């Protein structure tokens, strides 16, 4: 059975509409890349001794700038997110007034170099876990981003035994040094042999020249004798 469509016209997108359809996702992707980003650095965890004071780092970055940026720190306490501190940064030059909700916490970022880090004094085993740094930028239509820093609390820091590493490094270093010494000795030996061979060749050439000269002189003396005159 043949199906016929009556009164329906399929509209095809022209080159102009196609270009617009391709450019719009690219612009949207560029805007997304330039969005707010919160970062705790390249190493998102720290192992510290019970009773010490630690720094929980966090910085923000926005390619188009900020306005009334809201940020907060929260702690995951047995699955419940407990607010640690929060504040609003009006501009990149302003110093925020931070609200602290947890004991032994000090805000040290002061918005210098986009820094919103906190200091945790006299840590205990209850402080071990995930600390989340959150930010929301109204200038980017409320775009938000968060990052997690993990704190590990121990009785004492373990001393890593590097004996095996030192042995392996020494063995590898000794092997490389031995190979270099062998190559130097080989090159020196080849150099000495080449010089000896060159010297032997010079001696042979000199000896051959002396022999030829002596033979030539004796021959010339024999040929140069005058013929006796007949009387």
């Amino acid at each position: 059975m043949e199906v016929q469509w009556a009164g329906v016209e399929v509209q095809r997108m022209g080159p102009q509409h196609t270009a617009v359809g391709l450019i719009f996702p690219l612009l949207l992707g560029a805007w997304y890349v330039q969005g707010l980003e919160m970062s705790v650095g390249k190493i998102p965890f720290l192992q510290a001794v019970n009773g010490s004071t630690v720094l929980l780092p966090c910085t923000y970055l926005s390619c188009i700038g900020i306005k009334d940026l809201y940020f907060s720190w929260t702690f995951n306490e047995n699955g419940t997110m407990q607010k640690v501190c929060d504040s609003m940064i009006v501009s990149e030059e302003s110093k925020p007034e931070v609200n602290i909700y947890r004991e032994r916490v000090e805000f040290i970022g002061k918005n210098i170099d986009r820094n919103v880090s906190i200091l945790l004094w006299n840590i205990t085993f209850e402080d071990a876990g995930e600390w989340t740094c959150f930010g929301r930028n109204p200038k980017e239509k409320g775009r938000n981003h968060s990052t997690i820093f993990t704190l590990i609390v121990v009785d004492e820091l373990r001393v890593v035994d590097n004996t095996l590493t030192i042995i392996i490094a020494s063995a590898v270093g000794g092997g490389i040094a031995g190979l270099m010494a062998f190559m130097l000795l080989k090159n020196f030996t080849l150099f000495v042999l080449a010089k000896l061979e060159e010297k032997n060749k010079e001696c042979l050439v000199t000896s051959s020249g002396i022999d030829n000269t002596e033979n030539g002189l004796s021959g010339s003396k024999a040929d140069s004798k005058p013929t006796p005159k007949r009387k």
Side-chain angles (χ1 to χ4, degrees), residues 30-226:
W31 175 84
Y32 183 83
V33 170
Q34 294 177 350
L36 177 68
E37 180 181 357
M38 310 298 288
S39 173
V40 293
K42 295 182 179 180
I43 304 177
F45 63 89
L46 174 66
Q47 187 178 36
V49 178
N50 181 30
S52 61
T53 300
V54 298
L55 171 69
L56 305 183
C58 185
T59 58
Y60 66 86
L61 178 63
S62 176
C63 295
I64 64 174
I66 65 167
K67 183 179 180 182
D68 297 334
L69 171 70
Y70 171 81
F71 76 92
S72 68
W73 275 95
T74 55
F75 175 63
N76 186 355
E77 188 171 355
N78 298 323
T80 303
M81 302 304 294
Q82 300 290 339
K83 185 177 290 187
V84 177
C85 68
D86 67 350
S87 183
M88 180 177 294
I89 304 176
V90 178
S91 64
E92 295 181 355
E93 295 79 18
S94 63
K95 181 179 178 180
E97 296 292 336
V98 181
N99 303 311
I100 306 294
Y101 306 102
R102 188 182 179 95
E103 295 180 353
R104 299 177 288 107
V105 172
E106 179 184 356
F107 178 75
I108 62 172
K110 299 179 181 179
N111 197 29
I112 300 175
D113 295 330
R114 302 178 296 275
N115 190 351
V116 291
S117 304
I118 60 175
L119 204 64
L120 188 59
W121 294 85
N122 301 324
I123 62 173
T124 64
F125 291 103
E126 287 73 20
D127 296 323
E130 296 180 347
W131 296 74
T132 302
C133 182
F134 171 85
R136 182 175 61 246
N137 188 14
K139 191 173 182 179
E140 301 176 53
K141 297 182 179 180
R143 174 175 170 80
N144 61 76
H145 185 252
S146 64
T147 183
I148 296 176
F149 187 83
T150 303
L151 178 62
I152 305 170
V153 182
V154 295
D155 283 324
E156 58 181 1
L157 294 178
R158 295 181 180 178
V159 179
V160 179
D161 188 4
N162 295 324
T163 304
L164 181 60
T165 304
I166 295 174
I167 293 174
I168 295 175
S170 301
V172 173
I176 295 175
L179 181 61
M180 293 180 62
F182 173 75
M183 295 299 295
L184 289 174
L185 181 60
K186 178 183 177 182
N187 292 334
F188 178 75
T189 304
L190 292 176
F191 175 77
V192 172
L193 292 176
K195 286 296 183 181
L196 291 175
E197 185 178 358
E198 183 179 351
K199 188 174 181 180
N200 291 333
K201 288 182 179 179
E202 291 179 356
C203 291
L204 291 174
V205 171
T206 305
S207 301
S208 176
I210 292 174
D211 293 341
N212 292 334
T213 304
E214 290 177 353
N215 293 333
L217 288 174
S218 58
S220 359
K221 289 180 181 178
D223 294 340
S224 61
K225 287 183 180 180

